[in-house]
Amino acid sequence: QAKAEGRGNHRFFVPEMDRRMQSRRSLELDLRRAVVDGEFEMYYQPLVDTSDGQISGFEALLRWNHPSEGLILPDQFIPSAEDIGLIVPIGEWVLRQACSLAATWPTHIGVSVNLSPAQFRTGDLVRTVTTALAVSGIEPSRLHLEITEGVLLEHTDETLKILHSLRNLGVRIAMDDFGTGYSSLSYLRSFPFDKIKIDQSFVQDLFSGSEALSIIRAVTDLGRNLGMTTTAEGVETAAQLEQIQKEGCSEVQGYYVGRPMCAVSATRLLTEALPRDGVEAA
Ligand code: C2E
Ligand code: MG
Ligand code: MG
Ligand code: MG
């Protein structure tokens, strides 16, 4: 009986495994083709300064225009791209795209780029960033590099060396998705981040009677005391925005203030916003 059951499971398990490996293999092949054929596109989501309601920058978010599947979001392919080492060339492309677009924007507008742990392990991240800055000609302080705890989890000494070298170039370093990992606070102590991005889950739970509000309040205070910008991610409603502003977060990001959009729309948003600032064309 047990044997039959075992065999039954086995029979079920193999094709399932096989199917998964096959779809994984085809995703890999797809990704390699996407790199060669240039199927990636950057979207840009505004970051808004809560003190004046103005756009302070944009976060560059990777999209894959798949020829048959349509637009694919990063969570669905970045893990695979990391596994097969493709995130390194893709990440280089992302940095070049983001910096050269920022070069067309007013100089007070920043651009944020997400980095994968794999980019710290392989490749020459410092040189890649140096090149992207040099080619675009943007002021290094306009480039904000976002890392998650995953980056600090492994190879800590080497990682910290790279982070300090990046910082010495003049770029800003942000801790992304703050509060979601095991020891966010200890990571804050390991490197002097310029910015803390509070994970969107805290904003989502803001009015649910959980600890979310207290945590946002505490992190905002912490950021202020440490001289870091605090950004609330995932602001979707006017009520959330109002509460976040009350807590003193310096920056907000989310669908309520602006969705990720193509480069042309992002640039248009900036030029449309200018006359409202009273910065009339000279
Ligand atoms: P992230 O860096 O935390 O980026 C914010 C994510 O939240 C984006 O998802 C954005 O579209 C989404 N978002 C923004 N506002 C709202 C909101 O109001 N509500 C909700 N529900 N979501 C909102 P996206 O673009 O799907 O990216 C997911 C993650 O993929 C990013 O999280 C980042 O970790 C990673 N990623 C994106 N682009 C790149 C890239 O070029 N390189 C690397 N290594 N990772 C990237
Ligand atoms: Mg990010
Ligand atoms: Mg985030
Ligand atoms: Mg995230």
Side-chain angles (χ1 to χ4, degrees), residues 5-174:
E5 227 176 75
R7 202 173 284 143
N9 289 339
H10 186 73
R11 258 206 351 256
F12 170 76
F13 188 62
V14 167
E16 171 65 13
M17 215 20 202
D18 205 47
R19 195 183 58 74
R20 278 216 309 264
M21 299 218 327
Q22 219 160 37
S23 75
R24 191 185 158 71
R25 179 80 191 122
S26 77
L27 176 61
E28 283 184 25
L29 291 173
D30 257 16
L31 267 172
R32 293 189 197 281
R33 188 209 56 240
V35 172
V36 175
D37 293 358
E39 292 170 8
F40 295 108
E41 184 181 355
M42 295 316 295
Y43 271 46
Y44 297 87
Q45 185 178 29
L47 291 134
V48 170
D49 188 332
T50 53
S51 68
D52 59 7
Q54 300 298 311
I55 294 173
S56 52
F58 287 87
E59 177 171 5
L61 296 163
L62 186 59
R63 299 289 182 263
W64 180 6
N65 283 311
H66 193 282
S68 58
E69 306 288 320
L71 202 68
I72 306 182
L73 294 171
D75 288 338
Q76 281 172 272
F77 64 90
I78 285 186
S80 299
E82 283 172 342
D83 284 352
I84 56 178
L86 273 182
I87 196 65
V88 173
I90 295 172
E92 275 187 48
W93 179 84
V94 168
L95 274 163
R96 281 200 312 266
Q97 290 290 306
C99 292
S100 41
L101 182 65
T104 72
W105 292 339
T107 53
H108 65 283
I109 303 292
V111 69
S112 306
V113 170
N114 295 284
L115 297 179
S116 287
Q119 291 174 275
F120 284 79
R121 286 196 296 268
T122 46
D124 193 343
L125 184 56
V126 179
R127 196 170 58 198
T128 301
V129 171
T130 308
T131 306
L133 289 170
V135 168
S136 65
I138 66 165
E139 190 61 43
S141 62
R142 294 176 65 196
L143 177 61
H144 303 184
L145 299 175
E146 300 192 355
I147 65 164
T148 55
E149 288 184 6
V151 168
L152 289 164
L153 272 176
E154 325 152 36
H155 301 85
T156 308
D157 282 351
E158 185 58 24
T159 305
L160 287 177
K161 241 175 62 190
I162 297 172
L163 280 174
H164 282 288
S165 306
L166 290 171
R167 168 59 90 46
N168 288 339
L169 297 175
V171 307
R172 306 261 164 92
I173 312 287

